[in-house]
Coordinates of all heavy atoms in Angstrom, one line a residue:
D1 N -199.7 -153.7 -31.4 CA -198.2 -153.8 -31.2 C -197.6 -152.5 -31.1 O -196.4 -152.3 -31.0 CB -197.6 -154.7 -32.2 CG -197.6 -154.1 -33.6 OD1 -198.1 -153.0 -33.8 OD2 -197.2 -154.8 -34.6
G2 N -198.4 -151.4 -31.2 CA -197.8 -150.1 -31.1 C -197.3 -149.5 -32.4 O -196.8 -148.4 -32.4
T3 N -197.5 -150.1 -33.5 CA -197.0 -149.6 -34.7 C -197.9 -148.5 -35.2 O -199.1 -148.6 -35.1 CB -197.0 -150.8 -35.8 OG1 -196.2 -151.8 -35.4 CG2 -196.5 -150.3 -37.2
D4 N -197.3 -147.4 -35.7 CA -198.0 -146.3 -36.3 C -198.1 -146.5 -37.8 O -197.1 -146.8 -38.4 CB -197.3 -145.0 -36.0 CG -197.4 -144.5 -34.6 OD1 -198.4 -144.9 -33.9 OD2 -196.5 -143.8 -34.1
Y5 N -199.3 -146.4 -38.4 CA -199.5 -146.6 -39.8 C -199.8 -145.2 -40.4 O -200.5 -144.4 -39.8 CB -200.6 -147.6 -40.1 CG -200.2 -149.0 -39.6 CD1 -200.7 -149.4 -38.4 CD2 -199.4 -149.8 -40.3 CE1 -200.4 -150.7 -38.0 CE2 -199.0 -151.0 -39.9 CZ -199.6 -151.5 -38.7 OH -199.2 -152.7 -38.3
A6 N -199.3 -145.0 -41.6 CA -199.6 -143.7 -42.3 C -200.9 -143.7 -43.1 O -201.2 -144.7 -43.7 CB -198.4 -143.4 -43.2
L7 N -201.6 -142.6 -43.0 CA -202.8 -142.5 -43.7 C -202.5 -142.0 -45.1 O -201.5 -141.3 -45.4 CB -203.8 -141.4 -43.1 CG -204.3 -141.7 -41.7 CD1 -205.0 -140.5 -41.2 CD2 -205.2 -142.9 -41.7
T8 N -203.3 -142.4 -46.1 CA -203.2 -142.0 -47.5 C -204.5 -141.3 -47.8 O -205.6 -142.0 -47.7 CB -202.9 -143.1 -48.4 OG1 -201.7 -143.8 -48.0 CG2 -202.8 -142.6 -49.8
P9 N -204.6 -140.0 -48.2 CA -203.5 -139.1 -48.2 C -203.1 -138.8 -46.8 O -203.8 -139.1 -45.8 CB -204.0 -137.9 -48.9 CG -205.5 -137.9 -48.7 CD -205.8 -139.4 -48.6
S10 N -202.0 -138.0 -46.6 CA -201.6 -137.5 -45.3 C -202.8 -136.7 -44.7 O -203.5 -136.0 -45.5 CB -200.4 -136.7 -45.3 OG -199.3 -137.5 -45.7
F11 N -203.0 -136.7 -43.4 CA -204.1 -136.0 -42.8 C -204.1 -134.5 -43.1 O -203.1 -133.9 -42.8 CB -204.2 -136.3 -41.3 CG -205.5 -135.7 -40.7 CD1 -206.7 -136.4 -40.9 CD2 -205.5 -134.5 -40.0 CE1 -207.9 -135.9 -40.4 CE2 -206.6 -134.0 -39.5 CZ -207.8 -134.7 -39.7
N12 N -205.2 -134.0 -43.6 CA -205.4 -132.6 -43.8 C -206.9 -132.4 -43.5 O -207.7 -132.5 -44.5 CB -205.0 -132.2 -45.2 CG -205.3 -130.7 -45.4 OD1 -206.0 -130.0 -44.6 ND2 -204.8 -130.2 -46.5
G13 N -207.3 -132.2 -42.3 CA -208.7 -132.1 -41.9 C -209.4 -130.9 -42.5 O -210.7 -130.9 -42.6
A14 N -208.7 -129.9 -43.1 CA -209.4 -128.8 -43.7 C -210.0 -129.1 -45.0 O -211.0 -128.6 -45.4 CB -208.4 -127.6 -43.8
S15 N -209.3 -130.1 -45.7 CA -209.8 -130.4 -47.1 C -210.1 -131.8 -47.4 O -210.8 -132.1 -48.4 CB -208.7 -129.9 -48.1 OG -207.5 -130.6 -47.9
E16 N -209.7 -132.7 -46.6 CA -209.9 -134.2 -46.9 C -210.8 -134.8 -45.8 O -210.6 -134.5 -44.6 CB -208.6 -134.9 -46.9 CG -207.6 -134.5 -48.0 CD -208.0 -134.9 -49.4 OE1 -208.8 -135.9 -49.6 OE2 -207.6 -134.3 -50.4
T17 N -211.7 -135.7 -46.2 CA -212.5 -136.4 -45.2 C -212.4 -137.9 -45.3 O -213.0 -138.6 -44.5 CB -214.0 -135.9 -45.3 OG1 -214.5 -136.2 -46.6 CG2 -214.1 -134.4 -45.0
E18 N -211.7 -138.4 -46.4 CA -211.6 -139.8 -46.5 C -210.1 -140.2 -46.6 O -209.4 -139.6 -47.3 CB -212.3 -140.3 -47.8 CG -213.8 -140.1 -47.7 CD -214.6 -140.7 -48.8 OE1 -214.0 -141.4 -49.7 OE2 -215.8 -140.6 -48.9
Y19 N -209.8 -141.3 -45.9 CA -208.4 -141.7 -45.8 C -208.4 -143.2 -45.8 O -209.4 -143.9 -45.5 CB -207.8 -141.2 -44.5 CG -207.8 -139.7 -44.4 CD1 -208.8 -139.1 -43.8 CD2 -206.7 -139.0 -44.8 CE1 -208.8 -137.7 -43.7 CE2 -206.7 -137.6 -44.8 CZ -207.8 -137.0 -44.2 OH -207.7 -135.6 -44.1
S20 N -207.3 -143.8 -46.2 CA -207.1 -145.2 -46.2 C -205.8 -145.6 -45.6 O -204.8 -144.8 -45.6 CB -207.2 -145.8 -47.6 OG -206.2 -145.3 -48.5
V21 N -205.7 -146.8 -45.1 CA -204.5 -147.4 -44.5 C -204.6 -148.9 -44.7 O -205.6 -149.5 -44.5 CB -204.3 -146.9 -43.1 CG1 -205.4 -147.4 -42.2 CG2 -203.0 -147.3 -42.5
F22 N -203.4 -149.5 -45.0 CA -203.3 -151.0 -45.1 C -202.5 -151.4 -43.8 O -201.5 -150.9 -43.5 CB -202.6 -151.4 -46.3 CG -203.4 -151.1 -47.6 CD1 -203.5 -149.9 -48.1 CD2 -204.2 -152.2 -48.1 CE1 -204.3 -149.6 -49.3 CE2 -204.9 -151.9 -49.3 CZ -205.0 -150.7 -49.8
V23 N -203.1 -152.5 -43.2 CA -202.4 -153.1 -42.1 C -202.2 -154.6 -42.3 O -202.9 -155.2 -43.1 CB -203.2 -152.9 -40.7 CG1 -203.3 -151.4 -40.5 CG2 -204.5 -153.5 -40.8
P24 N -201.2 -155.2 -41.7 CA -200.9 -156.6 -41.9 C -202.1 -157.5 -41.4 O -202.9 -157.0 -40.5 CB -199.7 -156.9 -41.0 CG -199.0 -155.6 -40.8 CD -200.2 -154.6 -40.8
N25 N -202.2 -158.7 -41.9 CA -203.3 -159.6 -41.5 C -203.3 -159.9 -40.0 O -204.4 -160.0 -39.4 CB -203.2 -160.9 -42.2 CG -204.3 -161.9 -41.9 OD1 -204.1 -162.7 -40.9 ND2 -205.4 -161.8 -42.6
G26 N -202.1 -159.8 -39.3 CA -202.1 -160.1 -37.9 C -202.6 -159.0 -37.0 O -202.7 -159.1 -35.8
T27 N -202.9 -157.9 -37.6 CA -203.4 -156.7 -36.9 C -204.9 -156.9 -36.6 O -205.7 -156.8 -37.6 CB -203.2 -155.4 -37.6 OG1 -201.8 -155.3 -37.9 CG2 -203.6 -154.2 -36.8
E28 N -205.3 -157.2 -35.4 CA -206.7 -157.5 -35.1 C -207.4 -156.3 -34.6 O -208.7 -156.2 -34.6 CB -206.8 -158.6 -34.1 CG -206.3 -159.9 -34.7 CD -206.4 -161.1 -33.6 OE1 -206.7 -160.8 -32.5 OE2 -206.0 -162.2 -34.0
V29 N -206.7 -155.3 -34.0 CA -207.2 -154.1 -33.4 C -206.4 -152.9 -33.8 O -205.2 -153.0 -33.8 CB -207.3 -154.3 -31.9 CG1 -207.8 -153.0 -31.2 CG2 -208.1 -155.5 -31.5
V30 N -207.0 -151.8 -34.0 CA -206.3 -150.5 -34.2 C -206.8 -149.5 -33.2 O -207.9 -149.6 -32.7 CB -206.5 -149.9 -35.6 CG1 -205.8 -150.8 -36.7 CG2 -207.9 -149.7 -35.9
N31 N -205.9 -148.6 -32.8 CA -206.3 -147.5 -31.9 C -206.3 -146.2 -32.7 O -205.3 -145.8 -33.1 CB -205.3 -147.5 -30.7 CG -205.7 -146.4 -29.7 OD1 -206.8 -146.0 -29.6 ND2 -204.7 -146.0 -28.9
I32 N -207.5 -145.7 -32.8 CA -207.7 -144.4 -33.6 C -207.4 -143.3 -32.6 O -208.2 -143.2 -31.6 CB -209.1 -144.3 -34.2 CG1 -209.4 -145.5 -35.1 CG2 -209.2 -143.0 -34.9 CD1 -208.5 -145.7 -36.2
S33 N -206.4 -142.5 -32.9 CA -206.1 -141.4 -32.0 C -206.4 -140.1 -32.7 O -205.9 -139.8 -33.8 CB -204.6 -141.4 -31.6 OG -204.3 -140.3 -30.9
A34 N -207.4 -139.3 -32.2 CA -207.8 -138.1 -32.8 C -207.9 -137.0 -31.8 O -208.3 -137.2 -30.7 CB -209.2 -138.3 -33.5
T35 N -207.4 -135.8 -32.2 CA -207.5 -134.6 -31.4 C -208.1 -133.5 -32.2 O -208.1 -133.5 -33.4 CB -206.1 -134.2 -30.9 OG1 -205.3 -133.9 -32.0 CG2 -205.5 -135.2 -30.0
T36 N -208.6 -132.5 -31.5 CA -209.3 -131.4 -32.2 C -208.4 -130.1 -32.1 O -207.5 -130.0 -31.2 CB -210.6 -131.1 -31.5 OG1 -210.4 -130.7 -30.1 CG2 -211.6 -132.3 -31.6
V37 N -208.6 -129.2 -33.0 CA -207.9 -128.0 -33.0 C -208.4 -127.1 -31.8 O -207.7 -126.5 -31.0 CB -208.1 -127.2 -34.3 CG1 -207.5 -125.8 -34.2 CG2 -207.5 -128.0 -35.4
S38 N -209.8 -127.1 -31.6 CA -210.4 -126.4 -30.5 C -210.6 -127.3 -29.3 O -211.2 -128.4 -29.5 CB -211.7 -125.8 -30.9 OG -212.4 -125.3 -29.8
K39 N -210.3 -126.9 -28.1 CA -210.6 -127.7 -26.9 C -212.1 -127.8 -26.6 O -212.5 -128.6 -25.8 CB -209.8 -127.1 -25.7 CG -208.3 -127.1 -25.9 CD -207.6 -126.6 -24.6 CE -206.2 -126.5 -24.8 NZ -205.4 -127.6 -24.6
K40 N -212.9 -126.9 -27.3 CA -214.3 -126.9 -27.1 C -215.1 -127.9 -28.0 O -216.3 -128.1 -27.9 CB -214.9 -125.5 -27.2 CG -214.3 -124.6 -26.2 CD -214.9 -123.2 -26.4 CE -214.4 -122.3 -25.3 NZ -214.9 -120.9 -25.4
A41 N -214.3 -128.5 -28.9 CA -214.9 -129.5 -29.8 C -214.8 -130.9 -29.2 O -213.9 -131.2 -28.3 CB -214.2 -129.5 -31.2
S42 N -215.6 -131.8 -29.7 CA -215.6 -133.2 -29.2 C -215.4 -134.2 -30.3 O -215.8 -134.0 -31.4 CB -217.0 -133.6 -28.5 OG -217.2 -132.7 -27.5
V43 N -214.7 -135.3 -30.0 CA -214.4 -136.4 -31.0 C -215.1 -137.6 -30.6 O -215.2 -138.0 -29.4 CB -212.9 -136.7 -31.0 CG1 -212.6 -137.8 -31.9 CG2 -212.1 -135.5 -31.4
F44 N -215.7 -138.3 -31.6 CA -216.4 -139.5 -31.4 C -215.9 -140.5 -32.4 O -215.7 -140.2 -33.5 CB -218.0 -139.4 -31.5 CG -218.5 -138.4 -30.5 CD1 -218.6 -137.1 -30.8 CD2 -218.9 -138.8 -29.3 CE1 -219.1 -136.2 -29.9 CE2 -219.4 -138.0 -28.3 CZ -219.5 -136.6 -28.6
G45 N -215.8 -141.8 -32.0 CA -215.4 -142.9 -32.9 C -213.9 -143.1 -32.8 O -213.4 -144.0 -33.6
D46 N -213.2 -142.5 -31.9 CA -211.8 -142.8 -31.7 C -211.6 -143.9 -30.7 O -212.6 -144.5 -30.3 CB -211.0 -141.5 -31.3 CG -211.5 -140.9 -30.0 OD1 -212.7 -141.1 -29.6 OD2 -210.7 -140.2 -29.3
G47 N -210.4 -144.3 -30.4 CA -210.2 -145.4 -29.5 C -210.0 -146.7 -30.2 O -209.7 -146.7 -31.4
Y48 N -210.1 -147.8 -29.5 CA -209.8 -149.1 -30.0 C -210.9 -149.6 -30.9 O -212.1 -149.6 -30.5 CB -209.5 -150.1 -28.9 CG -208.1 -149.8 -28.3 CD1 -208.1 -149.0 -27.1 CD2 -206.9 -150.3 -28.8 CE1 -206.8 -148.7 -26.5 CE2 -205.7 -150.0 -28.2 CZ -205.7 -149.2 -27.1 OH -204.5 -148.9 -26.5
Q49 N -210.6 -150.1 -32.1 CA -211.6 -150.7 -33.0 C -211.1 -152.0 -33.5 O -209.9 -152.2 -33.9 CB -211.7 -149.8 -34.3 CG -212.0 -148.3 -33.9 CD -213.4 -148.1 -33.4 OE1 -214.3 -148.9 -33.8 NE2 -213.6 -147.1 -32.6
T50 N -212.0 -153.0 -33.4 CA -211.6 -154.4 -33.9 C -211.8 -154.4 -35.4 O -212.7 -153.9 -36.0 CB -212.6 -155.4 -33.2 OG1 -212.5 -155.3 -31.8 CG2 -212.3 -156.8 -33.7
L51 N -210.8 -155.1 -36.0 CA -210.8 -155.2 -37.5 C -211.2 -156.6 -38.0 O -210.7 -157.6 -37.4 CB -209.4 -154.9 -38.0 CG -208.9 -153.5 -37.7 CD1 -207.5 -153.4 -38.2 CD2 -209.8 -152.4 -38.3
A52 N -212.0 -156.7 -39.0 CA -212.2 -157.9 -39.7 C -211.2 -158.0 -40.8 O -210.5 -157.0 -41.2 CB -213.6 -157.9 -40.4
V53 N -210.9 -159.2 -41.4 CA -210.0 -159.3 -42.5 C -210.7 -158.6 -43.7 O -211.9 -158.8 -43.9 CB -209.7 -160.8 -42.8 CG1 -208.9 -160.9 -44.1 CG2 -209.0 -161.4 -41.7
G54 N -209.9 -157.9 -44.5 CA -210.5 -157.1 -45.6 C -210.8 -155.7 -45.3 O -210.1 -155.1 -44.4
M55 N -211.8 -155.1 -45.9 CA -212.1 -153.7 -45.8 C -212.9 -153.4 -44.5 O -213.9 -154.1 -44.3 CB -212.9 -153.2 -47.0 CG -213.3 -151.8 -46.9 SD -212.0 -150.5 -47.1 CE -211.8 -150.6 -48.8
N56 N -212.4 -152.4 -43.7 CA -213.1 -152.0 -42.5 C -213.4 -150.5 -42.7 O -212.4 -149.7 -43.0 CB -212.3 -152.2 -41.3 CG -212.1 -153.7 -41.0 OD1 -212.8 -154.3 -40.3 ND2 -211.0 -154.2 -41.6
T57 N -214.6 -150.0 -42.6 CA -214.9 -148.6 -42.7 C -215.2 -148.1 -41.3 O -216.1 -148.5 -40.7 CB -216.2 -148.4 -43.6 OG1 -215.9 -149.0 -44.9 CG2 -216.5 -146.9 -43.8
L58 N -214.3 -147.1 -40.9 CA -214.5 -146.5 -39.6 C -214.7 -145.1 -39.7 O -214.1 -144.4 -40.6 CB -213.2 -146.7 -38.8 CG -212.6 -148.2 -38.7 CD1 -211.3 -148.2 -38.0 CD2 -213.6 -149.1 -38.0
T59 N -215.6 -144.5 -38.9 CA -216.0 -143.1 -39.0 C -215.6 -142.4 -37.7 O -215.9 -142.9 -36.6 CB -217.5 -143.0 -39.3 OG1 -217.8 -143.6 -40.5 CG2 -217.9 -141.5 -39.4
V60 N -214.9 -141.3 -37.8 CA -214.6 -140.5 -36.7 C -215.3 -139.1 -36.9 O -215.2 -138.5 -38.0 CB -213.1 -140.2 -36.6 CG1 -212.8 -139.2 -35.5 CG2 -212.4 -141.5 -36.4
A61 N -216.1 -138.7 -35.9 CA -216.9 -137.5 -36.0 C -216.3 -136.4 -35.1 O -215.9 -136.8 -34.0 CB -218.3 -137.7 -35.7
V62 N -216.3 -135.2 -35.5 CA -215.9 -134.1 -34.7 C -217.1 -133.1 -34.7 O -217.6 -132.7 -35.7 CB -214.7 -133.3 -35.3 CG1 -214.3 -132.1 -34.4 CG2 -213.5 -134.3 -35.4
I63 N -217.5 -132.8 -33.4 CA -218.6 -131.9 -33.3 C -218.1 -130.6 -32.6 O -217.5 -130.7 -31.5 CB -219.7 -132.5 -32.4 CG1 -220.2 -133.8 -33.1 CG2 -220.9 -131.5 -32.2 CD1 -221.3 -134.5 -32.4
A64 N -218.3 -129.5 -33.3 CA -217.8 -128.2 -32.8 C -218.7 -127.7 -31.7 O -219.8 -128.2 -31.5 CB -217.7 -127.2 -34.0
E65 N -218.2 -126.6 -31.0 CA -219.0 -126.0 -30.0 C -220.4 -125.5 -30.4 O -221.4 -125.6 -29.7 CB -218.2 -124.8 -29.4 CG -218.9 -124.1 -28.3 CD -218.1 -123.0 -27.7 OE1 -217.2 -122.4 -28.5 OE2 -218.4 -122.6 -26.6
D66 N -220.5 -125.1 -31.7 CA -221.7 -124.6 -32.2 C -222.7 -125.7 -32.7 O -223.7 -125.5 -33.2 CB -221.5 -123.6 -33.4 CG -220.9 -124.2 -34.6 OD1 -220.7 -125.5 -34.7 OD2 -220.6 -123.5 -35.6
G67 N -222.2 -127.0 -32.6 CA -223.0 -128.1 -32.9 C -222.8 -128.6 -34.4 O -223.3 -129.7 -34.7
S68 N -222.0 -127.9 -35.1 CA -221.7 -128.4 -36.5 C -220.8 -129.7 -36.4 O -220.0 -129.8 -35.5 CB -221.0 -127.3 -37.3 OG -219.8 -127.0 -36.7
K69 N -221.0 -130.6 -37.4 CA -220.4 -131.9 -37.3 C -219.6 -132.1 -38.6 O -220.1 -131.8 -39.7 CB -221.5 -132.9 -37.2 CG -221.0 -134.3 -37.1 CD -222.2 -135.3 -37.0 CE -221.8 -136.7 -36.9 NZ -223.0 -137.6 -36.8
R70 N -218.5 -132.7 -38.5 CA -217.6 -133.1 -39.6 C -217.2 -134.6 -39.4 O -216.8 -134.9 -38.3 CB -216.4 -132.2 -39.8 CG -215.6 -132.6 -41.0 CD -214.7 -131.5 -41.4 NE -214.2 -131.8 -42.7 CZ -213.7 -130.9 -43.5 NH1 -213.8 -129.6 -43.2 NH2 -213.2 -131.2 -44.7
E71 N -217.5 -135.4 -40.4 CA -217.1 -136.8 -40.3 C -215.9 -137.1 -41.2 O -215.8 -136.6 -42.3 CB -218.3 -137.7 -40.7 CG -219.4 -137.6 -39.7 CD -220.5 -138.6 -40.0 OE1 -220.6 -139.1 -41.2 OE2 -221.2 -139.0 -39.1
Y72 N -215.0 -137.9 -40.6 CA -213.9 -138.4 -41.4 C -214.0 -139.9 -41.5 O -214.3 -140.6 -40.5 CB -212.6 -138.1 -40.6 CG -212.4 -136.6 -40.4 CD1 -212.8 -135.9 -39.3 CD2 -211.8 -135.9 -41.5 CE1 -212.7 -134.6 -39.2 CE2 -211.6 -134.5 -41.3 CZ -212.0 -133.9 -40.2 OH -211.9 -132.5 -40.1
V73 N -213.9 -140.4 -42.7 CA -214.0 -141.9 -42.9 C -212.6 -142.5 -43.2 O -211.8 -142.0 -44.0 CB -214.9 -142.1 -44.2 CG1 -215.0 -143.6 -44.4 CG2 -216.3 -141.5 -44.0
L74 N -212.4 -143.5 -42.4 CA -211.1 -144.3 -42.5 C -211.4 -145.6 -43.1 O -212.2 -146.4 -42.5 CB -210.4 -144.4 -41.1 CG -210.3 -143.2 -40.3 CD1 -209.7 -143.5 -38.9 CD2 -209.3 -142.2 -41.0
Y75 N -210.8 -145.9 -44.2 CA -210.9 -147.3 -44.8 C -209.6 -148.0 -44.4 O -208.5 -147.7 -44.9 CB -211.0 -147.2 -46.3 CG -212.2 -146.4 -46.8 CD1 -212.0 -145.1 -47.3 CD2 -213.5 -146.9 -46.7 CE1 -213.1 -144.4 -47.7 CE2 -214.6 -146.2 -47.1 CZ -214.4 -144.9 -47.6 OH -215.5 -144.2 -48.0
V76 N -209.8 -148.9 -43.5 CA -208.7 -149.7 -43.0 C -208.8 -151.1 -43.6 O -209.7 -151.8 -43.4 CB -208.7 -149.8 -41.4 CG1 -207.5 -150.6 -40.9 CG2 -208.8 -148.4 -40.8
V77 N -207.7 -151.4 -44.4 CA -207.7 -152.7 -45.0 C -206.8 -153.7 -44.3 O -205.6 -153.4 -44.2 CB -207.3 -152.6 -46.5 CG1 -207.2 -154.0 -47.2 CG2 -208.2 -151.7 -47.3
R78 N -207.3 -154.7 -43.7 CA -206.5 -155.7 -43.0 C -206.2 -156.8 -44.0 O -207.1 -157.5 -44.5 CB -207.3 -156.3 -41.8 CG -206.5 -157.4 -41.1 CD -207.3 -157.9 -39.9 NE -206.7 -159.1 -39.4 CZ -207.4 -159.9 -38.5 NH1 -208.6 -159.6 -38.1 NH2 -206.8 -161.0 -38.1
E79 N -205.0 -156.9 -44.5 CA -204.6 -157.8 -45.5 C -204.6 -159.3 -45.1 O -204.7 -159.6 -44.0 CB -203.2 -157.4 -46.1 CG -203.2 -156.0 -46.6 CD -201.9 -155.5 -47.1 OE1 -200.9 -155.5 -46.4 OE2 -201.9 -155.2 -48.3

């Protein structure tokens, strides 16, 4: 429905790698929108994700130009 939901804690990619968000039961799909600081890095795991009722664990990975990888875990709770 285009609603933006806030992550807890607020996104800080330099120090946090795990986030949570609660969405209403009627939310069947979320669109994970992720961008990188460097245009030479790649993002995987973004885009549309189908949600089950309850806890959904979604992982977004960022791979830097040098091949190093950082994963961010999103716990999406569909109430």
Side-chain angles (χ1 to χ4, degrees):
D1 69 4
T3 302
D4 288 334
Y5 296 101
L7 296 174
T8 302
S10 294
F11 186 77
N12 179 349
S15 63
E16 299 287 337
T17 59
E18 294 187 3
Y19 300 89
S20 60
V21 63
F22 290 82
V23 299
N25 181 269
T27 305
E28 297 178 355
V29 176
V30 292
N31 183 20
I32 305 299
S33 177
T35 57
T36 61
V37 174
S38 169
K39 294 184 190 275
K40 296 180 179 180
S42 300
V43 176
F44 299 90
D46 58 338
Y48 290 94
Q49 306 288 334
T50 302
L51 300 176
V53 174
M55 175 73 76
N56 296 267
T57 303
L58 308 176
T59 303
V60 176
V62 177
I63 301 178
E65 181 181 20
D66 67 3
S68 61
K69 180 179 178 182
R70 184 163 189 152
E71 290 187 338
Y72 299 92
V73 180
L74 307 175
Y75 300 105
V76 182
V77 179
R78 180 177 167 197
E79 301 181 299

